[in-house]
Amino acid sequence: MVSIGGVSLKTPRVVGVIIEGRVNAAAKKAVDAGADFLELRADTFKNISLEKIEKALNSLRAFKKPVILTIRSKKEGGKCLISEKKRASLFDALMPLADAVDIELGSSAILKNVVNSAKGHKKKVIVSYHNFKTTPGEKKLLEIAAGCHASGADIVKVATFARGPEDLRLLARFLTDFNDLTVIAMGAHGAGSRVFFPLLGSVLTYGSVTGPSAPGQMPVAELTRELRRYGLG
């Protein structure tokens, strides 16, 4: 069973997404609301520098929760345009301060280097795919999962835009084919997936703290409350 920072993913875990702002206050709010992990979305910082992100990661570590470092690419929802060279450099320099990193399957220019750096530091790797327009068909979803696994993923994350119930059914079938997936349906139709996909085995579910970082993302407090309602908290 995969674990991050010593915390097992045997049951679904809630990730509190921390964006730029009052990092300490946001982290405290997330932990108090029941977050199991803290994700730093470094791409949301207005002025991205090694020193600034390092300070934020050290602040998060003080809360004694596993930390996921994400520097999302612009083409998959990142808030800032950061060169691949800079992203790779930041990931490598900051790796010792994270328990896991999230890198996109589509970031082919740096994917191998980031994965190798994480493995060298004995950190877990989430290889992710995001589609904000649609949900691909079953064949494409299986190809994405295979590509993520082949790249060295410890956890595969797939987040797609759900246009209606059929997309939710498709993602649910895809989810049950594996035991190391995080699957999220984005958008109004997909909001419930953040609660009900964990019932089907999705290992991570992401909640907002000071504001959503993806369409349909609900606050950590609401997410943990709903998971407890169904016996997952």
Side-chain angles (χ1 to χ4, degrees):
M1 178 58 61
V2 175
S3 64
I4 296 176
V7 177
S8 170
L9 301 186
K10 185 176 181 180
T11 58
R13 299 295 182 179
V14 174
V15 181
V17 182
I18 308 298
I19 59 178
E20 185 180 38
R22 298 175 61 193
V23 171
N24 277 328
K28 184 179 187 305
K29 183 178 179 180
V31 171
D32 289 347
D36 300 296
F37 299 150
L38 298 172
E39 178 191 41
L40 184 67
R41 279 288 301 271
D43 57 279
T44 64
F45 287 21
K46 291 180 181 178
N47 297 306
I48 296 173
S49 69
L50 175 61
E51 294 75 19
K52 190 172 183 179
I53 301 172
E54 185 176 43
K55 181 179 178 180
L57 285 171
N58 279 319
S59 294
L60 296 189
R61 297 208 67 82
F63 289 89
K64 307 300 182 183
K65 295 288 183 179
V67 174
I68 300 169
L69 173 61
T70 300
I71 313 172
R72 183 69 68 227
S73 71
K74 181 74 171 177
K75 65 183 179 181
E76 293 201 27
K79 302 304 179 184
C80 291
L81 179 61
I82 314 167
S83 72
E84 295 293 76
K85 183 178 179 180
K86 183 172 182 179
R87 288 177 68 217
S89 176
L90 288 170
F91 271 122
D92 191 52
L94 296 164
M95 199 69 71
L97 296 177
D99 297 290
V101 294
D102 181 321
I103 179 70
E104 306 83 13
L105 178 65
S107 293
S108 55
I110 65 170
L111 176 60
K112 184 176 181 180
N113 287 342
V114 173
V115 170
N116 287 343
S117 178
K119 300 294 185 183
H121 285 89
K122 301 187 185 305
K123 309 295 183 177
K124 292 299 189 292
V125 181
I126 301 167
V127 179
S128 57
Y129 168 86
H130 308 81
N131 188 323
F132 293 88
K133 295 182 178 179
T134 188
T135 293
E138 182 178 8
K139 181 179 179 181
K140 178 62 176 178
L141 289 172
L142 292 173
E143 289 175 356
I144 290 165
C148 292
H149 284 127
S151 71
D154 296 297
I155 301 162
V156 175
K157 177 187 174 189
V158 174
T160 68
F161 187 83
R163 297 159 296 182
E166 183 55 40
D167 283 342
L168 294 176
R169 287 192 289 269
L170 172 60
L171 289 170
R173 290 194 298 270
F174 168 61
L175 170 60
T176 56
D177 284 339
F178 300 90
N179 60 11
D180 61 350
L181 291 187
T182 292
V183 176
I184 299 166
M186 297 185 288
H189 288 289
S193 73
R194 297 176 183 275
V195 175
F196 295 111
F197 280 2
L199 286 167
L200 299 176
S202 186
V203 296
L204 297 173
T205 187
Y206 292 70
S208 63
V209 183
T210 56
S213 60
Q217 192 177 79
M218 62 181 67
V220 169
E222 182 180 349
L223 187 54
T224 55
R225 183 170 61 249
E226 289 301 308
L227 289 173
R228 288 174 186 142
R229 183 194 301 271
Y230 297 102
L232 293 179

